[in-house]
Amino acid sequence: MRCPFCGHEETQVKDSRPSEDGMTIRRRRFCPGCTQRFTTIERVQLRELTVVKSDTRRVPFDRDKLARSVRVAVRKRPVSEERVERIVNGIVRQLEASGESDIDSKQIGEAVMEALREVDEVAYVRFASVYRNFREAKDFEAFLGKLGEDGELPSDTKPAADPKP
Ligand SMILES: [Zn+2]
């Protein structure tokens, strides 16, 4: 792999380490050209996914974008980077397993909400607020109403605030 710092053609793998769930391998690489180190991550891709947006535009599925939105949701919450990786892997696996190459952007949003709800209530509400705001502001108001009039969030992740009837 080419060095991202100096463009040197050959870099050396110094260390390979599988992730906790065994779904990815991290490789520490060293560039003999500029002596910088960087990490590459190898993971299984079962199929190429295309996201169909609500305005019917089609874009290639972007795993990094998904990971970024999960990271934003869990910011300053007790959720490790390892856990974020597992959440994202789980969502991607779920989308790939649907058997369809075309996936609705809504499907992704719902999958992220499902995953976050089990991990951290605050992260879930953050993501849901942004996501549902984009979709329909009224939905989110109804959803908040179910959380309780005082606006306080439950401190645990029990489904006390389950927005489903
Ligand atoms: Zn280099």
Side-chain angles (χ1 to χ4, degrees), residues 3 6 8 31 34:
C3 172
C6 74
H8 194 81
C31 173
C34 67

Side-chain angles (χ1 to χ4, degrees), residues 43-62:
R43 62 172 60 86
V44 176
Q45 181 175 5
L46 292 180
R47 59 176 76 229
E48 294 281 343
L49 297 172
T50 300
V51 180
V52 183
K53 303 220 171 199
S54 50
D55 61 5
T56 74
R57 264 189 309 132
R58 299 160 58 84
V59 293
F61 172 70
D62 184 344

Side-chain angles (χ1 to χ4, degrees), residues 17-73:
R17 184 169 69 86
S19 65
E20 217 171 77
D21 64 1
M23 298 302 286
T24 57
I25 295 177
R26 286 172 179 274
R27 297 188 203 284
R28 286 297 293 159
R29 289 175 185 267
F30 169 77
C31 173
C34 67
T35 72
Q36 288 270 21
R37 286 164 194 274
F38 60 101
T39 304
T40 55
I41 302 171
E42 184 180 312
R43 62 172 60 86
V44 176
Q45 181 175 5
L46 292 180
R47 59 176 76 229
E48 294 281 343
L49 297 172
T50 300
V51 180
V52 183
K53 303 220 171 199
S54 50
D55 61 5
T56 74
R57 264 189 309 132
R58 299 160 58 84
V59 293
F61 172 70
D62 184 344
R63 189 189 189 283
D64 291 339
K65 196 174 154 197
L66 170 64
R68 270 200 302 280
S69 52
V70 172
R71 273 189 204 105
V72 168

